[in-house]
Every structure is written in structure tokens, then in C-alpha cells.
Amino acid sequence: AAGGASRGFAYPTQAFSKGSSSASIGTGNRYVEFFILGAQGFAVVSLLMFLVTMDRAASRFMFHRVVLGAIVAFIFQAVNKHGLPNMQTLGAMWKAIRGNAQQSDVKGIAEFAMDENTHNIFYCSLLLSAVPSLLLLAPVLIPTVTTGSRRAKKLLEKAPMVGPVVTKGASFVLDREEQMLKLSAQCEVLILIVLIVELLTPRRNLLFIILYAQLLRVRHLVNTKSQEAWSAFTAKLDSVFCHQRSPAPVQTAYRKVKSWIASIANPMPKQ
């Protein structure tokens, strides 16, 4: 990580990551690391309770507990990676809002805005107004489980009795991290499609779709797994609807729908 003076953040810490995930573990205070691990564990336990709860009100409550645990973990991961904002950062943000910020003013803000922890915080805030669904939790839980496993292995591998068990379980998850992150990106694509279909149902939430689509726009810029997921998805659709044997009206309708999705989320390449 860069120094605080160049970022405009106070108390920055270094971070390490694996693969394309930037939701990484900082080398900050050990107690903070344990707190983050606790928040991630709280999210996972709440998920298990969400899965077994049959009552609708209790299910919604557990859904929000999952989101709460995840958002707390993401916030502290972001602070652990970038540091706490100081008055210089707040001043730069105010200049950016007013539209008279210089490039040097927004450098640290841009780095924070492009961080996956920030994306996940924003997504969790959207989930607070969403209808509970396991699919909606997938983009939150997968990075929570992967970073939580790495954090648990780092903190507890030398602990008596529990160390070997934690190390074995964490290694099992981390050996499959790339596949899990790929699945998370695919779920992000599927969520947008489901939300669009739900426009025809009473569950529709137009504001959620618009904000989520803008999030996907940013994620597609910085996340290679997101780019791969959208490329694979559009290639599959193109092979079906743009086939030479496909009727012309079907091809025309498909291209219009595809252009509309691209206009709100901009994740799919234009032909």
C-alpha cells in the first residue's frame, strides 16, 4: 500500500491478496483482525440460521444479520487497508462534490472507490431494502468466506488444539478460491437478470436495479472475474439468439434487450 501522504488517508496499512480479489487482509492491529474474523463468523452463522428458519419474519431478521456481519467486516477491511480518512481526505471529498477538485485531490478517493471492499459495502447497503434471497447473498458470502478463511488460518494456525482443524478447513476453502470467486461473479450476472425479470412481478424494485447496475459498471472496470463472467454470458446468448437459423425478429429483439442492459450497466461488449 502507498503512504498516507499520497493517498490522503491516515494510518494506512499494507495488504496482501491472492488472485484478483482486493478484499484482502491488512497487517494492522491483531485485535482488529480478530474483530473482523468475528464479524465474518457472525455472518456465516447467521446464514446457516437463515437457511433453516421457516418463519418469514425471522428469515428476514436473519438475512439482515448476515448483511450486518458482512458490512462490518468489509468496513474494517477497507479501513485496515486504506487507513482512516483525515481532514485532508474530507476536504478533497468536498471539493470533488463541488466539482472543483484537482487530480491530486481525488487520487486517494479514487483508490478507495475502486476497492472491492467499498463495492461490497455499497452492495450490502442495497440488500437492506431487498427481499431476502440466498442468491442475493452469494456475492457477499463468497468473499467473506474466502478472506475469512485466510484470516483464520493466519491468526489461528498456531493455536493449540484448534489450529490444525482451522488450518485444514481454511486450506480446503483457499484451494478452491479461484472457482469460488468465479462463481461469485457469475452470481452477480444472474442477479441482474433475475432483477430484470422481476420487473414483471410484484417483487420489482426499479431503484435497486438501477443502483445495482451502476455497481456492476464499476466492478466490470476493475474486476477480471466480472469481465470473464459477462464475456461468457454474452457469448452463450449470442450463440443462441444470433445463430444464422434464429428468426430475424428474435435476433432483433435480443439485440435491443442487450443494448438496453448495456446502457444501464455497461458490462456487455457491443457488437
Side-chain angles (χ1 to χ4, degrees):
S6 62
R7 286 177 176 265
F9 282 81
Y11 315 117
T13 60
Q14 293 182 342
F16 64 86
S17 61
K18 176 180 179 182
S20 62
S21 176
S22 66
S24 54
I25 304 172
T27 57
N29 191 291
R30 187 175 179 86
Y31 294 108
V32 175
E33 292 293 313
F34 272 110
F35 178 80
I36 297 174
L37 181 60
Q40 292 174 324
F42 178 82
V44 173
V45 172
S46 299
L47 169 68
L48 298 177
M49 298 177 69
F50 169 74
L51 294 176
V52 301
T53 301
M54 304 302 296
D55 180 73
R56 179 174 297 181
S59 178
R60 176 177 289 274
F61 177 71
M62 292 302 167
F63 179 86
H64 287 159
R65 281 175 49 132
V66 176
V67 176
L68 175 63
I71 197 171
V72 169
F74 289 133
I75 289 173
F76 276 84
Q77 282 183 161
V79 172
N80 206 24
K81 181 176 181 180
H82 297 281
L84 293 170
N86 54 24
M87 293 304 298
Q88 180 182 355
T89 304
L90 297 177
M93 293 176 64
W94 175 246
K95 290 181 180 179
I97 293 174
R98 295 180 60 186
N100 57 2
Q102 302 296 323
Q103 185 173 359
S104 59
D105 294 326
V106 299
K107 180 179 179 181
I109 300 174
E111 292 178 357
F112 180 77
M114 292 296 146
D115 186 73
E116 289 192 23
N117 288 302
T118 307
H119 302 166
N120 290 328
I121 292 169
F122 178 75
Y123 179 65
C124 285
S125 68
L126 295 181
L127 293 182
L128 295 175
S129 62
V131 177
S133 167
L134 181 61
L135 176 62
L136 292 178
L137 292 176
V140 170
L141 286 171
I142 291 177
T144 296
V145 171
T146 55
T147 58
S149 297
R150 187 177 295 109
R151 179 170 284 107
K153 183 177 181 180
K154 174 188 175 185
L155 296 175
L156 302 175
E157 62 180 349
K158 296 182 179 180
M161 299 181 65
V162 300
V165 177
V166 171
T167 300
K168 185 176 181 179
S171 298
F172 177 83
V173 173
L174 295 176
D175 289 343
R176 296 159 176 79
E177 182 176 15
E178 288 299 312
Q179 296 92 322
M180 295 176 68
L181 294 177
K182 182 177 180 180
L183 176 61
S184 177
Q186 292 171 344
C187 288
E188 291 176 356
V189 175
L190 180 59
I191 287 171
L192 181 62
I193 303 305
V194 171
L195 290 174
I196 292 174
V197 173
E198 285 184 348
L199 287 174
L200 304 176
T201 72
R203 290 167 58 99
R204 58 183 174 272
N205 189 334
L206 183 58
L207 180 60
F208 187 100
I209 295 177
I210 295 173
L211 295 177
Y212 181 67
Q214 297 307 312
L215 173 63
L216 291 187
R217 181 199 299 267
V218 177
R219 286 190 61 76
H220 184 263
L221 293 175
V222 300
N223 188 286
T224 56
K225 293 293 188 295
S226 179
Q227 296 168 8
E228 293 171 0
W230 278 108
S231 296
F233 177 70
T234 54
K236 177 76 72 173
L237 290 182
D238 289 347
S239 65
V240 174
F241 294 103
C242 293
H243 192 273
Q244 58 182 357
R245 295 183 180 180
S246 178
V250 173
Q251 294 188 36
T252 301
Y254 166 71
R255 289 193 174 95
K256 288 183 177 180
V257 172
K258 181 178 177 180
S259 298
W260 176 67
I261 296 176
S263 68
I264 60 174
N266 197 29
M268 297 193 291
K270 295 182 179 180
Q271 296 206 1

